[in-house]
Amino acid sequence: MVQSLDTMIETPSQTAGPYVHIGCIPSFAGLPGVYPEDLGLSPIAPGAKGQVITITGAVIDGTGWALRDAMMESWQPDAAGRFAGQDGADPAVSGFCRFAADKDSGLFTLTTVKPGPVPHRSGGVQAPHISLWIVARGINIGLSTRIYFEDEDNSADPLLSRIEQRPRVDTLIAKKTAEGQYRFDIRLQGDNETVFLDI
Amino acid sequence: MKDMTDNGETDAGPLIPRQRHMHPVPYDPEYKTSVPRSPKWPLLSMESTPSEETGPRFGHSLLGPLDNNLILNFSKDGSPAIGERILMHGRVLDENARPVPHTLVEIWQANAGGRYRHVKDNYLAPLDPNFGGCGRTITDAEGRYQFLTIRPGAYPWPNRANDWRPMHIHISVFGHSFGQRLITQMYFEGDPLIDRCPIAATIKERSQLDRLVAPLDMARARPLDFLAYKFDIVLRGRRQTMFENRLEGM
Ligand SMILES: [Fe+3]
């Protein structure tokens, strides 16, 4: 026998289930009226500095079918790379957004400001990116990934550099479809499976 | 990045890596929907960065007076929701056994008959006109939270031929870092459906599943009013840095 450690173990996850919207986006569930408005409707307020962009996409399962019941959260810094609460952060950028796949099409839309680069502990700089967390029925522990941008310099990003199979890097890069418009699909499984993070 | 908690301590240092084997397996054929929705490639592991170490904060001004009272927060005329009245309470801690103060906790659940108020739930059991099924609160300085609600009913779901979910309440917790984000479910002590549930069984480490089963807590039950169940939640911690002459982080 040995002494026991003081550290505790994280509570295990369970799937968010098909009715996650009741708790997280009640209006989407057809349940208005409990709260004045859903949490995290937008990561930006009027006057946010930087380029306003729209990212559209779908969460696609191993059969090629877009999930209709996925819920996502995004977290990002402002256009200068500062997170809410940090010194000098843009007060019009909360950086947090909650959004759901559309019930009919499976498409999601995120409108935000393009984030700035963020320093890395090692001294390098992380290319502009948005952190994304995905939960749904059938997903037993929330999936983490990142949205990078094809019109940014991603060459020295520490996370992208760690992806050994270089073709997979592409799964984390949003494609520019028009000025300020990007497409970002998340593939849970199968060809071009998205790189998910343990971070 | 400095991130002061109300204990006057600084959240610093990288997040402690997740012990993935203490969580449910992503792919489990007994839970059929997980089959096409589970990644097959290994996750990319890396030390956390400010993107994971920071996170959204929500203030108490967000909350309405009935947000943590599901018995009354959807009632049109003050009539209480139907069902066994219960208090769900506990603490949010991190892996270093420190309380996580001022963090948002959200819950959602079926009504006493096992029916959700959701456009996609068409189970036979009736809706309760006075029960919405969602609530939220923010932990206090010691990480404590509580909800007054009704005991949710078990319900059948399409999976294997005759699967039923045990009574459960879904819980979402933020912590102070986006990398701490957690959604889980609370089960109730003594429910025979827990051991028959393929979703509960996605957790292969029995001692970990046991941590999702809330004990009856008669010390907090109020006579002639409600029973109580205690449910503590542990979020990822951050590595302590005693031997480094500077705080990790930025
Ligand atoms: Fe449920």
Side-chain angles (χ1 to χ4, degrees), chain B residues 4-246:
Chain B
M4 301 296 288
T5 69
D6 274 29
N7 300 335
E9 293 177 73
T10 301
D11 287 341
L15 287 156
I16 296 171
R18 278 203 148 113
Q19 299 188 54
R20 295 269 166 182
H21 63 289
M22 295 297 190
H23 282 284
V25 292
Y27 169 87
D28 193 334
E30 298 297 299
Y31 177 22
K32 296 180 185 180
T33 314
S34 75
V35 172
R37 295 185 172 193
S38 44
K40 293 287 180 283
W41 282 74
L43 305 178
L44 179 69
S45 296
M46 198 175 94
E47 187 165 81
S48 63
T49 76
S51 305
E52 295 75 35
E53 293 156 11
T54 58
R57 297 293 191 96
F58 305 99
H60 290 265
S61 61
L62 178 74
L63 302 178
L66 291 176
D67 278 8
N68 69 339
N69 183 340
L70 286 75
I71 291 177
L72 292 178
N73 71 9
F74 193 73
S75 173
K76 299 293 170 280
D77 61 358
S79 303
I82 292 167
E84 269 179 77
R85 299 161 64 84
I86 60 169
L87 179 78
M88 167 188 180
H89 76 98
R91 293 177 83 196
V92 180
L93 306 164
D94 71 13
E95 289 173 296
N96 298 311
R98 287 168 43 191
V100 181
H102 310 309
T103 189
L104 183 66
V105 180
E106 300 161 299
I107 65 169
W108 64 101
Q109 62 169 94
N111 69 21
R115 170 92 178 261
Y116 283 96
R117 188 174 286 278
H118 190 287
V119 285
K120 287 188 180 170
D121 189 354
N122 50 17
Y123 179 38
L124 295 171
L127 287 170
D128 174 350
N130 293 313
F131 187 71
C134 65
R136 63 185 180 184
T137 190
I138 291 176
T139 58
D140 71 9
E142 275 81 50
R144 292 178 299 226
Y145 73 91
Q146 60 178 17
F147 292 97
L148 197 59
T149 186
I150 51 93
R151 188 198 296 268
Y155 59 84
W157 59 296
N159 187 56
R160 301 175 306 199
N162 192 12
D163 274 326
W164 291 70
R165 292 306 323 281
M167 302 175 288
H168 64 279
I169 295 177
H170 297 265
I171 307 146
S172 154
V173 193
F174 277 85
H176 295 166
S177 307
F178 199 55
Q180 289 179 300
R181 198 74 183 80
L182 182 73
I183 284 181
T184 188
Q185 301 180 26
M186 180 189 100
Y187 302 109
F188 291 82
E189 178 182 6
D191 187 341
L193 291 172
I194 296 170
D195 284 341
R196 292 172 170 82
C197 176
I199 287 178
T202 59
I203 299 171
K204 303 306 175 189
E205 181 70 37
R206 179 71 212 198
S207 62
Q208 282 290 90
L209 174 56
D210 290 344
R211 296 179 60 206
L212 298 186
V213 184
L216 179 67
D217 180 4
M218 290 308 286
R220 288 293 297 275
R222 178 187 276 176
L224 305 178
D225 190 344
F226 52 73
L227 288 173
Y229 286 86
K230 176 174 171 288
F231 190 71
D232 288 341
I233 299 158
V234 177
L235 302 180
R236 293 174 72 184
R238 294 177 70 165
R239 203 168 73 218
Q240 307 292 293
T241 53
M242 278 184 71
F243 287 102
E244 290 171 59
N245 211 4
R246 59 179 178 86

Side-chain angles (χ1 to χ4, degrees), chain A residues 9 11 14 73 98 129 189, chain B residues 51 106 181 187 211 234:
Chain A
I9 299 170
T11 298
Q14 288 273 262
E73 292 179 355
R98 249 180 189 169
H129 65 272
Q189 191 187 92
Chain B
S51 305
E106 300 161 299
R181 198 74 183 80
Y187 302 109
R211 296 179 60 206
V234 177

Side-chain angles (χ1 to χ4, degrees), chain A residues 27-100:
Chain A
S27 298
F28 183 94
L31 172 58
V34 178
Y35 311 137
E37 67 173 32
D38 293 342
L39 191 77
L41 283 174
S42 174
I44 53 172
K49 297 183 191 71
Q51 184 194 9
V52 175
I53 59 169
T54 297
I55 302 164
T56 305
V59 183
I60 300 162
D61 74 10
T63 72
W65 174 251
L67 272 60
R68 267 64 172 173
D69 53 8
M71 199 231 5
M72 281 147 281
E73 292 179 355
S74 63
W75 173 243
Q76 64 167 89
D78 65 16
R82 297 189 190 95
F83 290 95
Q86 293 181 338
D87 290 344
D90 184 345
V93 176
S94 78
F96 174 71
C97 192
R98 249 180 189 169
F99 47 100

